[in-house]
Amino acid sequence: MDEMEGTIKKFLYLNRRAPYGTIYALESLEVVLIGAAFDQDVSLAFIDDGVYELKKNQDTTKAEMKNFSPTYRALEGYDVEKLYVDKASLEARGLTEEDLIVPVQVLDAAQMTQLMEQQDVVLSF
Amino acid sequence: MKFGILVSEGPYQHQASDSAYQFTKAALEKGHEIFRVFFYHDGVNNGTRLTVPPQDDRHIVNRWSELAKKYNLDLVLCIAAAQRRGMLDENEAKRQGKDANNIAPGFRISGLGQLVEAGIQSERLVVFGD
Amino acid sequence: MLHTVNKSPFEKNSLETCLRFARQGHAILLYEDGIYAALKGTMFESKITETVTYCKIYVLVSDLEARGMRMDNVIAGIQPVDYTGFVDLVVENNPVQAWL
């Protein structure tokens, strides 16, 4: 860890999959939580079906799976506050910001590209 | 240049592991450094020593082990993903009271921090998945 | 930056989404099932032909040939690379973003 001190990189977690149908959304979140301890400059982007990860009112009781959606609300406590949602993906799915479990910044394609270009590391899920 | 590699799928089912292997091998042959290959999601299954593929097919796990030996590669299986999928090293099997372990030579089990560290330490991180 | 696309555009929208964010000066590598987007005569040809005017597009030859295709089948302007070329693309571009 010593030699890493002072190194701050821009990490982007690129989430493009719906929750529960596959494990990617949950395991992506696990990296974010562990990664928070490294004090890097972290952003999360939600594109395509990834926007469904943030849908309010997830209830997995009958599906008998672990509901991990409250974790998105806990991210703030880990200093992970840069959550970006792709405007076109949201609109294509008939969703608005009000449907989402946490406050996000909605970006158009040009803004999202700019975010991507600034990154050092992109982890895709 | 120093690379980090993330492999998100298991052997055979998806091409991701093959692609990651070919990329890693090409990078090493060009004289680049591979800081770490991190296996996540079903990718942890690349580290089982129990696969028995047909004789006329490639042996994906052995291929990784051999590359690791030749270049002293760090092949890391995510512990959380490995536990979910029944991948255990000797210590973990003992700790969990299991009757077997199944990790191939050249692989080790460690935490997700190793992936983040690979992102920090490497000049490039390349993701192979599905 | 380098975008990698490894899924068939007929199966997944990864290519479509990638192209929505790809800009002047970016590089795109098509490999694995992503090579199907590089071929002439598909419904994606016009979009790729347009993109190749402002992005550099590459196709991984080993994956092309594995799938019964040759460079003759590939849209003009797309350049062939082998794995060494793939490595070079990663060296030349940062970040590398996988559209899975």
Side-chain angles (χ1 to χ4, degrees), chain B residues 3 15 19 30 124 129-130, chain C residues 7 32 63 67 88 90-91:
Chain B
F3 293 97
Q15 202 184 341
S19 300
K30 269 212 101 169
R124 298 285 185 275
D130 190 77
Chain C
K7 289 288 117 203
E32 294 179 6
D63 283 338
R67 287 158 179 79
D88 292 342
V90 171
V91 170

Side-chain angles (χ1 to χ4, degrees), chain A residues 53-65:
Chain A
E53 293 181 29
L54 300 176
K55 174 71 180 66
K56 270 182 192 160
N57 305 327
Q58 294 177 29
D59 179 356
T60 58
T61 315
K62 293 195 186 81
E64 296 185 11
M65 294 173 91

Side-chain angles (χ1 to χ4, degrees), chain C residues 20-99:
Chain C
R20 205 151 58 76
F21 297 106
R23 293 288 179 276
Q24 180 82 39
H26 292 185
I28 301 169
L29 172 69
L30 305 170
Y31 75 111
E32 294 179 6
D33 291 350
I35 65 104
Y36 292 115
L39 304 174
K40 290 175 196 162
T42 79
M43 58 189 277
F44 299 96
E45 183 173 6
S46 59
K47 184 70 190 148
I48 292 286
T49 303
E50 181 201 337
T51 307
V52 91
T53 62
Y54 58 88
C55 282
K56 287 186 171 155
I57 307 184
Y58 302 87
V59 65
L60 192 71
V61 174
S62 51
D63 283 338
L64 191 70
E65 291 179 355
R67 287 158 179 79
M69 303 292 177
R70 297 287 177 271
M71 280 309 290
D72 302 347
N73 306 109
V74 167
I75 295 164
I78 297 183
Q79 299 168 59
V81 286
D82 57 10
Y83 267 100
T84 305
F86 184 173
V87 170
D88 292 342
L89 285 175
V90 171
V91 170
E92 291 155 16
N93 295 278
N94 203 46
V96 181
Q97 182 161 311
W99 296 92

